Amino acid sequence: GSTLRVNGVPYEVIGVMPEGFLFPSGDDLWLPLQTDPLAGKRGDTEFLSVLGQLAPGVTVEQASTELGTVSQRFAADYPEANAGFTMSAMSFVERQLGPEPKQLLYTMLGAVFFVLLIACTNVANLLLDRAAHRSKEVGVRTALGATRWQIVRIFLSEALVLAALGTVLGLALAYVAIQAFNRAIVDTQPPFFIDIALHPTVLLFSVGVAILSTMLAGLIPALQASRPDIAEVLKDESRGASSLKLGRLSKSLVVFEIALSCGLLVAAGLMVKSVTKTRTMDTGFAMADVFTARVGFPSSYTDTVLQRQFFDQLDDRVSALPGVISASVSAGLPGAQQGLGRTPFALDGTSHDRDQDFPTTRSLSVSSSFFGTLDIPLHAGRLFTEGDRADGLPVAIVNARFVEQFLGGGEAIGRRVRFGATQTTAEWLTIVGVVPNVFAGDPQEPMPPIVFQPFAQSHASFAYIAARTSLPPLELTSQVRGVVASMQPDVPIYWPMTLADAVAEPLWFVRVFGTMFMLFGLVALFLASIGLYAVMSFSVSRRSREMGVRMALGASARHVVALVMRQGAWQLGLGLTIGLALAAAISRVMTVVLFDVEPLDATVFSSVAALLALSGIAACLIPARRATRVDPSVAMRSE
């Protein structure tokens, strides 16, 4: 029953949604859609998002097929407006998130399973060690009538006890980690429908994986230890050496573990390098001490002359605020993926037969003070001036990437471009200046070609204000809001933030998940090193009598170390070879989530190989040096 003034129009409140209902894009208030389908000609209307609920039993793919059929009928009935266009369906989450976060989440899931497999391999190796020490006990049990299943059950029961303890500790750790993760992303404005918590389904999945991994890690040692050949087991134990099959299996598991660790470490290295690039990249413009906010006219304001006057005055009045060094108005913000949409264009002197043949570029309308406010220097020609008005010569400024990609690096000043495709009626724009490349906010195309237009020559109902200030930037919020309110009370400002924060928003998932990848990589490195050390230590301990005999017969400490190191070296070398091949495959899948990093980055691959090699050598060297301290007489008596 109460009345709210929204977009300059009074609305009566007729309902209140539950707290937490923000569908479809984090909204707090909903207005009825009011359109007049007869107000314009076909094809000349506003764009709308279409949301629908699938009928029971209908898949997204089936709905997409049906929409494709509908679009074909439209194209046949109205070729002038619908030819070449098609419709398809996708899930709401996929539409909201886009491909990059989704691909990144699947990549993260793969990384988690890699760590799990490495941990399982370690546990399996430790259980193999334990099984080898208990081989005589198993032989006696078998000789007394124990079945193979009874032997396997003993080992699996012990593994399940370990799993139960690990699961409880893991869930406690997960709870703490989730709280920390949610605190870490609170400022990144994640989608409202993402609720990161220990949901019952997640809990059941985690417990199920824990049980499955226990079976995986414990079953192989149990089956190996329960072999029915009693004579071989007892003889093997009497020799003081581990079973040959157990030894081979244990070494094979280490190779597998090193390979997985290598793949995961390369993925972690690529993500860490991506994170580093996001923090150290040269955006091409200054971000320090710059306030930004969006200002927009409601749809009820249709006077374009009034809007242009408003933005002209807004630029001047914000520039006059205390503490403001320079201010500008633009249709978007570089680095924030706002207002830098792709558009087809043509160069004067070129022609294209079909719309899809036209090249595309980013475009941005800016005021004459834009380049000075963001400290973007001039490469060639001139910048926009106050004389570039709506009734003046249509002009444009392009960046260096545009010149390189579309003009072959040649002369740009004086060339002409025109936005649109075959049916365009847009004016030709004369290029009057060239500026450096600037970050556009797209992780997949950090420095794209961009065409800048004078704001006065390209109408916009919404714009961004950017102000360089000597004060803390966000202190300008109330002052800018006051200026806007004094000029147009129904025009709000929103999204006030520093330019640095605006640039960071599109890259939040790269930074947050890149840090997690680094943690996964460190865990994998630790587990792989421990695994290799455990196997080498086990091998040395089982061969203590052999080492004693060798040293009693004159073998030097250097020869004993070399013997142990050779055994670890081939495992390390084989694991690295397989791991680098695996890493090459993984890195190609990660292309969509990397920021300005090549998937086959030689530095990352060589660094990971060197790191694993050093860790492996250290893991082999410790038990090798311990072997040189074996007293031959003690070693002979130990068996």
Side-chain angles (χ1 to χ4, degrees), residues 561-584:
V561 170
L563 177 69
V564 176
M565 293 296 290
R566 275 197 302 270
Q567 177 183 335
W570 78 262
Q571 293 174 262
L572 186 60
L574 182 58
L576 281 176
T577 302
I578 299 173
L580 290 174
L582 177 64

Side-chain angles (χ1 to χ4, degrees), residues 271-272 275 279 510-520:
M271 287 301 298
V272 169
V275 173
R279 298 186 183 280
V510 175
R511 292 176 176 172
V512 170
F513 290 107
T515 303
M516 293 185 68
F517 254 108
M518 180 176 64
L519 295 176
F520 289 157

Side-chain angles (χ1 to χ4, degrees), residues 25 48 123 130 238 246 322-323 331 354 375 403 437 482 488 523 574:
S25 54
L48 298 175
V123 173
R130 182 173 175 81
S238 67
L246 281 176
R354 302 176 303 169
D375 198 18
V403 176
N437 297 324
Q488 288 290 341
V523 171
L574 182 58

Side-chain angles (χ1 to χ4, degrees), residues 171-185:
L171 292 176
L173 178 61
Y175 178 81
V176 174
I178 287 172
Q179 304 305 311
F181 181 80
N182 283 329
R183 285 195 297 270
I185 67 171

Side-chain angles (χ1 to χ4, degrees), residues 222-244:
L223 291 175
Q224 287 291 321
S226 61
R227 291 170 306 168
D229 192 344
I230 305 172
E232 182 183 343
V233 174
L234 294 177
K235 181 175 65 175
D236 181 60
E237 183 71 17
S238 67
R239 281 202 313 267
S242 63
S243 163
L244 181 61

Side-chain angles (χ1 to χ4, degrees), residues 28 45 118 122 124 149 167 186 219 222 229 323 327 357 370 393 401 513 537 542 550 578 589 591 612:
D28 298 304
T45 55
I118 293 169
N122 261 359
W149 165 241
T167 300
V186 68
L219 190 60
D229 192 344
D357 295 334
F370 173 83
L393 174 70
R401 180 59 54 82
F513 290 107
S537 180
R542 301 297 290 172
R550 286 178 179 274
I578 299 173
V589 177
T591 303
L612 270 176

Side-chain angles (χ1 to χ4, degrees), residues 293-315:
R294 198 178 192 213
V295 181
F297 275 88
S299 57
S300 57
Y301 283 74
T302 58
D303 189 340
T304 57
V305 175
L306 173 66
Q307 293 175 16
R308 285 178 176 172
Q309 292 175 348
F310 171 84
F311 287 124
D312 283 344
Q313 295 174 14
L314 178 64
D315 194 335

